[in-house]
Amino acid sequence: MIQMYRVSKKIHNTTVLEDVNLHVGKGEFVLLVGPSGAGKSTLLRLLHFDDRPTEGWIRVGEYSSSALKDRQIPLLRRKIGIIFQDFKLLKDRNIFENVAFALRVTGTRKSLTKRKALQTLTAVGLAHRRDAMPNQLSGGEQQRVSIARALVNDPFVLLADEPLGDLDKEASSNILELLKEINHRGTTVVMATHDEDLAAHMPYRCIRIENGRIL
Ligand SMILES: Nc1ncnc2c1ncn2[C@@H]1O[C@H](COP(=O)(O)OP(=O)(O)OP(=O)(O)O)[C@@H](O)[C@H]1O
Ligand SMILES: [Mg+2]
């Protein structure tokens, strides 16, 4: 499902990832664990094709970085959901619009957009806040909106970058349950975390990364 082969990534002449090999099977839930600055976000951005590797190749589903044309990237991104470390919600649009926007850009019909956006907001328990603006929500609620936005296009892969951020225990466990459910429905999940303790208590495979290298 996901494969990285000898991937290196340089940013401004600094090597951020070096010789990364990794394989994630269809339907798997894996944790990408490593300290701050290890390269977790960089790796996820490469899997979302927000960025291209400096060396090596990446395959996600049927798409390979070596064969991918620039014009195919928007299409591919719709099939790979991503939850960013800092949410990246549109501040000037309400919750409903934040989720609906992800469908509109794909040219989805208005009626279907409304139905799917509400359905997804319901799934994350936020349909009742659909008219609220992002800054009126708590961190945990904003994170759930960003999950809804990542899921509304029915992605086959979900990339989650520190989705528990600095949420309290209850909010974290709600988000975690949500991710597990998504995985149970067949979506491959890759979740980045610096939280060793959390990783140790989860029944999932851990991929460890440090200084841009997989251990
Ligand atoms: N745009 C950039 N320009 C220069 N250096 C960068 C850039 N983005 C990332 N880096 C560097 O690459 C390294 C890896 O960064 P990355 O954000 O992938 O780490 P991370 O594992 O996600 O850390 P965190 O847990 O703090 O989010 C860091 O040393 C960072 O300073
Ligand atoms: Mg990061």
Side-chain angles (χ1 to χ4, degrees):
M1 169 61 60
I2 296 177
Q3 208 177 344
M4 281 188 155
Y5 179 73
R6 308 211 69 172
V7 166
S8 295
K9 177 67 191 174
K10 285 196 169 112
I11 303 177
H12 308 311
N13 288 325
T14 311
T15 302
V16 176
L17 292 179
E18 178 124 51
D19 202 22
V20 169
N21 292 289
L22 117 105
H23 186 273
V24 180
K26 190 168 158 47
E28 243 194 301
F29 192 134
V30 301
L31 299 169
L32 183 63
V33 190
S36 185
K40 305 180 295 295
S41 297
T42 306
L43 195 153
L44 293 184
R45 272 200 298 276
L46 289 174
L47 291 179
H48 195 239
F49 295 91
D50 288 336
D51 221 342
R52 297 264 192 163
T54 314
E55 276 174 62
W57 58 259
I58 298 171
R59 191 169 60 80
V60 181
E62 60 193 284
Y63 302 92
S64 150
S65 63
S66 53
L68 199 66
K69 307 228 170 21
D70 283 344
R71 64 181 160 76
Q72 294 177 298
I73 291 178
L75 180 81
L76 171 58
R77 285 206 195 117
R78 273 172 234 151
K79 300 182 186 176
I80 305 174
I82 190 161
I83 305 169
F84 294 102
Q85 200 164 3
D86 55 354
F87 313 146
K88 293 200 199 302
L89 298 179
L90 303 167
K91 291 185 179 59
D92 57 343
R93 289 170 200 247
N94 69 24
I95 298 319
F96 173 83
E97 287 298 328
N98 263 278
V99 177
F101 187 74
L103 286 165
R104 291 225 176 88
V105 295
T106 69
T108 308
R109 280 198 330 273
K110 217 173 164 178
S111 55
L112 183 63
T113 295
K114 188 171 177 193
R115 184 149 49 89
K116 284 206 81 176
L118 281 178
Q119 200 179 48
T120 316
L121 278 171
T122 304
V124 300
L126 281 178
H128 64 295
R129 301 302 308 272
R130 61 181 173 272
D131 296 323
M133 299 302 277
N135 65 6
Q136 296 174 307
L137 300 186
S138 73
E141 289 169 334
Q142 290 185 51
Q143 188 59 291
R144 282 189 275 152
V145 176
S146 80
I147 294 176
R149 182 186 53 188
L151 291 179
V152 75
N153 280 310
D154 300 318
F156 62 95
V157 172
L158 180 65
L159 308 171
D161 197 354
E162 298 278 1
L164 311 181
D166 35 35
L167 303 179
D168 68 26
K169 225 172 162 185
E170 193 187 335
S172 303
S173 83
N174 287 340
I175 299 277
L176 220 51
E177 279 309 312
L178 198 57
L179 295 177
K180 282 183 194 166
E181 248 175 69
I182 291 159
N183 176 247
H184 278 306
R185 275 185 262 131
T187 308
T188 306
V189 177
V190 182
M191 171 176 147
T193 180
H194 62 265
D195 191 338
E196 286 285 345
D197 211 40
L198 174 91
H201 287 94
M202 287 179 77
Y204 302 125
R205 178 160 72 97
C206 291
I207 298 173
R208 287 186 191 280
I209 180 167
E210 234 167 81
N211 293 319
R213 285 177 170 274
I214 302 285
L215 304 182

